[in-house]
Amino acid sequence: MATFIDPLIAFVSAHAWLAYLTLFLAALLEAVPVIGSVVPGSTVILALSALVPSGDLKLAWVVLAAIAGAVLGDGSAFWIGHRAQREILGTWPLSNYPRVIAQSEAFFKKWGTWAVFFARFVPPIRAFVPVTAGALDMAPARFYAVNIPAILLWAPAHVLPGVLAISALHRYGGIPHHVSLKPYWMIAVIVGALIAALVTWAIRRRQNGAVTPVAGRVTGQG
């Protein structure tokens, strides 16, 4: 992974516009079924956020790029599922991932509408839940009412750990701002991974003790 991320950071640090485009694409592709389960979108976002404290990237634009990519990715997957309906879950390439599709459907049976919110923080079903929501005929208004707030929380949760970790190194670790952060971006990734792991653990713990909601909550009925 480092052999891929290190040259990416070195290159985009000299081309800010390309860094924002990379962030946008990382968030978008992470939301695409199948592709999102293999693309290290979260790692890319965490790594590039390490460039904010040095001034190479602007925090607001980093967060906005991540939000825009996630909204477009989730929204596109949802509408594909919404138009194709349940048939798409059994077609290629989704048919090659029956276990993840089953997990996505089980998520809905357990959480109802809130599955869209919680799944954004739980890989790898994050990439499958939007298309599953559409395939199960979830109302578009209900989907976006839950999906967009989730993304507005997800983006800062992925960006800020990297920013704070590198800022702490600058302030308390004696690392000058002009020094290359190539050896330190992994710290940002580790911090972010720990936060993601805690969120995932909390969600799964609550899921195990939750009462199965009625099916009507998925489609907006009842």
Side-chain angles (χ1 to χ4, degrees), residues 6-111:
D6 286 343
L8 176 64
I9 294 176
F11 183 72
V12 300
S13 62
H15 306 82
W17 68 270
L18 187 57
Y20 298 127
L21 177 61
T22 301
L23 286 160
F24 172 82
L25 292 175
L28 187 153
L29 292 176
E30 195 177 46
V32 175
V34 181
I35 296 177
S37 62
V38 295
V39 171
S42 295
T43 303
V44 171
I45 293 171
L46 283 164
L48 291 182
S49 68
L51 298 174
V52 172
S54 62
D56 292 312
L57 299 179
K58 302 298 182 184
L59 177 59
W61 286 106
V62 168
V63 174
L64 285 174
I67 290 174
V71 169
L72 181 59
D74 281 2
S76 298
F78 171 78
W79 280 108
I80 290 173
H82 198 266
R83 294 194 64 175
Q85 295 296 296
R86 197 178 181 88
E87 295 178 7
I88 195 172
L89 300 180
T91 59
W92 185 89
L94 296 181
S95 59
N96 292 337
Y97 297 83
R99 184 176 64 84
V100 184
I101 292 297
Q103 288 178 337
S104 299
E105 292 194 61
F107 223 59
F108 277 102
K109 292 178 181 179
K110 180 71 71 171
W111 290 99

Side-chain angles (χ1 to χ4, degrees), residues 18-219:
L18 187 57
Y20 298 127
L21 177 61
T22 301
L23 286 160
F24 172 82
L25 292 175
L28 187 153
L29 292 176
E30 195 177 46
V32 175
V34 181
I35 296 177
S37 62
V38 295
V39 171
S42 295
T43 303
V44 171
I45 293 171
L46 283 164
L48 291 182
S49 68
L51 298 174
V52 172
S54 62
D56 292 312
L57 299 179
K58 302 298 182 184
L59 177 59
W61 286 106
V62 168
V63 174
L64 285 174
I67 290 174
V71 169
L72 181 59
D74 281 2
S76 298
F78 171 78
W79 280 108
I80 290 173
H82 198 266
R83 294 194 64 175
Q85 295 296 296
R86 197 178 181 88
E87 295 178 7
I88 195 172
L89 300 180
T91 59
W92 185 89
L94 296 181
S95 59
N96 292 337
Y97 297 83
R99 184 176 64 84
V100 184
I101 292 297
Q103 288 178 337
S104 299
E105 292 194 61
F107 223 59
F108 277 102
K109 292 178 181 179
K110 180 71 71 171
W111 290 99
T113 301
W114 283 102
V116 174
F117 184 94
F118 292 131
R120 179 115 279 277
F121 300 89
V122 183
I125 65 172
R126 173 192 304 149
F128 290 85
V129 163
V131 69
T132 303
L136 296 180
D137 203 27
M138 186 177 190
R142 186 173 289 269
F143 172 80
Y144 285 110
V146 179
N147 177 248
I148 291 179
I151 290 174
L152 292 178
L153 290 176
W154 167 86
H158 275 64
V159 171
L160 292 180
V163 175
L164 295 175
I166 300 304
S167 295
L169 281 174
H170 285 316
R171 184 167 185 177
Y172 303 109
I175 307 298
H177 283 275
H178 65 274
V179 173
S180 172
L181 293 177
K182 181 177 177 180
Y184 305 108
W185 69 264
M186 277 300 297
I187 295 177
V189 175
I190 292 172
V191 172
L194 287 173
I195 293 176
L198 287 172
V199 171
T200 301
W201 173 81
I203 290 174
R204 288 179 176 174
R205 182 182 179 186
R206 184 176 175 184
Q207 179 187 12
N208 290 335
V211 177
T212 302
V214 295
R217 290 181 62 189
V218 177
T219 60

